[in-house]
Amino acid sequence: MKRFLETIKHIFAIEELRTRILNTLLFITIFRLGSYVALPGVEPDQMNVSTQGLLGLLDTFLGGAFSKASIFALGIMPYISASIAIQLLTMALPYFQKMQKEGESGRKKLNQITRVLTIVVTLVQGTAYLNTTVPDEALLVSRSLFSISSVFVLTAGTMFCMWLGERITDKGIGNGISMLIMIGIVSRFPGAIYKEFVSRGSGQILLTVLEIVALYFVIMGAVMLTQAVRRIPIQYAKQVVGNRVMGGQRQYLPLKLNAAGVMPIIFAQALMFIPSLGASYFAEKSDFASNVATIFANYTTWQYNLLFAVLIIVFTFFYTAISVNPQQIADDMKRGGGFIPGVKPGQQTSEYISSILDRITFPGSLMLAVVATLPAFASLLGVSTDFAHFFGGTSLLIMVGVVLDTLQQIESYLLMRRYEGLMKSGRVTGRTESVAI
């Protein structure tokens, strides 16, 4: 406890770090207050948004703003969708690839395109949200007036959330966009624990405590999955530059066990509503279709989780293949005078890295599938739905990743000022870009 208090004292003793933490808290407070401001012309108490499937996942990310018809009902999610689209285009189209290689100017162009695409996505998603999730009985004005005004309000709210995220990145601590998503998830944690205690009753407090202990070990497992790397030794040849001898040292190429991050779960979750939706069209004509619709509407069935796990494994290989380029890594090593001992530079190095990547991606994808399906197992064991969502899935991985990233930045400030790090032994390592949202 004494060491913890000393660390807090050291953190606030650094003026820049103290200012950044206070700025982060201020921006987070503004974001949370905005999630309670309802759209003009709607009665939030009359909203009846499903908390299952993709809609429930969105509501979790947005801290309940989605189900409350808030001005931040879409939050930062349209920006996430636009960023993913631009990232995929960068990997697929030469025009975007060239722009990415232009350095700072290319990055600014991509950011500008992402912002414009965010507005377009927000207009589309906002219209769909207003027409599908806001019932007529919740409206205080005419549907047409409400829809027109609310689309502009939702777009402004999303752009403001994006601005808050950028301000947290520039003036605060951590990745701002990921921080906003994490805050939305964490904001529901106290309520979930309270509901769990209430549902269990005073006679089963010990069982609730055991659930919290189990959650602790699940979080530790998620940390190991996020941090696990396979280090490939790289030897750099000695080079004489003037009167100095450069190189000659050994370094390591860290390949993440989970290089795809949370993206496979997000992609798989987005597709899991298709079987239920498709079967529902034929439910009246076919008993088989009716059963399929019922099965895949419940996220605790074994059929749902089996398909979910298979999709996660497939998307893990897919996203790892497009985000990690062994040929580019091999070329960069060759230009820098580096080589893997026992492997020839060039094509053989690329094949060697690719083979190792395939070996570690499979167990990583299996572990990711297990983490994603843990909420279903928790629900089957009697854990309430709200609390079960914290036992795995995208929510858990995002929380773990953002916390590790934030702790790494705080530790870097402490070490620069010659203070001890946050941990008594070892170092806090952050996430790769593939994990960041």
Side-chain angles (χ1 to χ4, degrees):
M1 187 65 180
K2 181 180 179 181
R3 175 180 171 80
F4 173 76
L5 295 176
E6 289 179 353
T7 302
I8 297 298
K9 181 180 178 181
H10 292 161
I11 288 174
F12 283 91
I14 303 174
E15 182 178 358
E16 181 182 359
L17 181 57
R18 181 175 68 249
T19 302
R20 286 182 173 273
I21 291 176
L22 293 177
N23 287 340
T24 302
L25 294 176
L26 174 62
F27 294 136
I28 289 174
T29 302
I30 295 173
F31 175 71
R32 289 303 301 154
L33 290 176
S35 65
Y36 289 95
V37 179
L39 290 170
V42 68
E43 179 58 50
D45 294 336
Q46 299 296 324
M47 292 288 294
N48 187 21
V49 179
S50 173
T51 57
Q52 300 294 330
L54 186 60
L55 296 182
L57 182 65
L58 290 175
D59 196 44
T60 301
F61 286 168
L62 299 171
F66 188 85
S67 59
K68 298 172 185 174
S70 163
I71 58 174
F72 292 166
L74 298 181
I76 207 68
M77 301 314 295
Y79 176 75
I80 300 298
S81 302
S83 299
I84 293 174
I86 294 298
Q87 186 177 5
L88 294 176
L89 290 175
T90 302
M91 299 172 183
L93 299 181
Y95 174 77
F96 288 94
Q97 292 176 357
K98 180 181 178 181
M99 194 179 300
Q100 188 182 36
K101 295 177 181 179
E102 292 178 357
E104 184 65 21
S105 62
R107 188 180 66 84
K108 290 182 178 180
K109 292 179 182 177
L110 287 175
N111 288 339
Q112 190 64 27
I113 295 174
T114 303
R115 291 188 177 95
V116 174
L117 184 58
T118 299
I119 296 176
V120 177
V121 173
T122 306
L123 292 174
V124 175
Q125 291 185 354
T127 302
Y129 169 76
L130 296 172
N131 292 332
T132 58
T133 62
V134 181
D136 292 336
E137 55 268 21
L139 297 181
L140 303 177
V141 296
S142 65
R143 167 68 69 173
S144 58
L145 177 61
F146 172 76
S147 299
I148 294 174
S149 62
S150 296
V151 165
F152 288 102
V153 173
L154 289 174
T155 304
T158 293
M159 300 308 293
F160 184 73
C161 289
M162 186 176 69
W163 180 82
L164 284 178
E166 292 176 349
R167 296 286 71 76
I168 292 176
T169 303
D170 295 338
K171 305 294 184 181
I173 291 290
N175 184 295
I177 303 300
S178 300
M179 180 72 72
L180 294 182
I181 297 177
M182 187 203 71
I183 292 302
I185 296 171
V186 173
S187 65
R188 310 198 68 171
F189 187 68
I193 292 182
Y194 175 76
K195 289 182 180 178
E196 185 67 15
F197 271 104
V198 171
S199 63
R200 291 293 184 185
S202 58
Q204 295 183 322
I205 295 180
L206 179 60
L207 187 58
T208 306
V209 173
L210 292 177
E211 291 174 357
I212 296 176
V213 173
L215 177 61
Y216 170 80
F217 285 104
V218 169
I219 293 175
M220 292 301 101
V223 171
M224 289 189 290
L225 174 61
T226 304
Q227 299 292 84
V229 295
R230 167 71 158 84
R231 299 199 306 172
I232 301 177
I234 301 176
Q235 186 70 38
Y236 284 89
K238 293 183 178 181
Q239 299 178 353
V240 179
V241 181
N243 295 327
R244 300 179 61 185
V245 178
M246 308 293 291
Q249 74 276 20
R250 170 169 288 195
Q251 297 182 0
Y252 294 91
L253 171 67
L255 294 179
K256 302 283 288 186
L257 179 67
N258 180 27
V262 299
M263 298 310 299
I265 301 181
I266 294 177
F267 286 154
Q269 188 76 54
L271 294 180
M272 285 307 298
F273 75 96
I274 294 179
S276 177
L277 182 63
S280 63
Y281 286 108
F282 305 96
E284 297 181 357
K285 300 179 181 179
S286 172
D287 292 336
F288 175 77
S290 178
N291 291 333
V292 171
T294 302
I295 289 173
F296 285 95
N298 183 2
Y299 76 100
T300 62
T301 60
W302 69 266
Q303 296 93 337
Y304 181 98
N305 286 277
L306 178 60
L307 179 59
F308 191 30
V310 171
L311 288 176
I312 289 173
I313 294 173
V314 171
F315 280 123
T316 300
F317 277 94
F318 168 75
Y319 200 82
T320 301
I322 65 177
S323 60
V324 182
N325 189 344
Q327 185 62 52
Q328 183 178 355
I329 296 175
D331 293 341
D332 292 340
M333 288 172 50
K334 187 176 182 180
R335 283 194 295 266
F339 61 93
I340 299 174
V343 182
K344 292 183 179 180
Q347 184 62 32
Q348 289 191 15
T349 297
S350 174
E351 294 175 355
Y352 179 77
I353 295 175
S354 180
S355 64
I356 292 182
L357 197 61
D358 291 339
R359 294 173 190 170
I360 65 175
T361 299
F362 181 67
S365 64
L366 290 179
M367 294 178 65
L368 194 62
V370 170
V371 170
T373 54
L374 278 178
F377 288 102
S379 295
L380 291 175
L381 292 175
V383 181
S384 62
T385 302
D386 292 338
F387 192 47
H389 284 309
F390 289 94
F391 277 82
T394 313
S395 303
L396 179 62
L397 292 176
I398 289 177
M399 287 191 296
V400 168
V402 174
V403 170
L404 289 175
D405 187 36
T406 305
L407 291 179
Q408 183 195 28
Q409 292 196 29
I410 293 176
E411 185 176 48
S412 65
Y413 276 97
L414 294 175
L415 294 176
M416 282 192 299
R417 296 302 180 94
R418 298 184 180 180
Y419 290 118
E420 292 183 358
L422 294 171
M423 300 178 63
K424 189 173 182 180
S425 62
R427 295 286 305 280
V428 178
T429 55
R431 301 169 296 164
T432 59
E433 292 183 359
S434 60
V435 181
I437 292 292

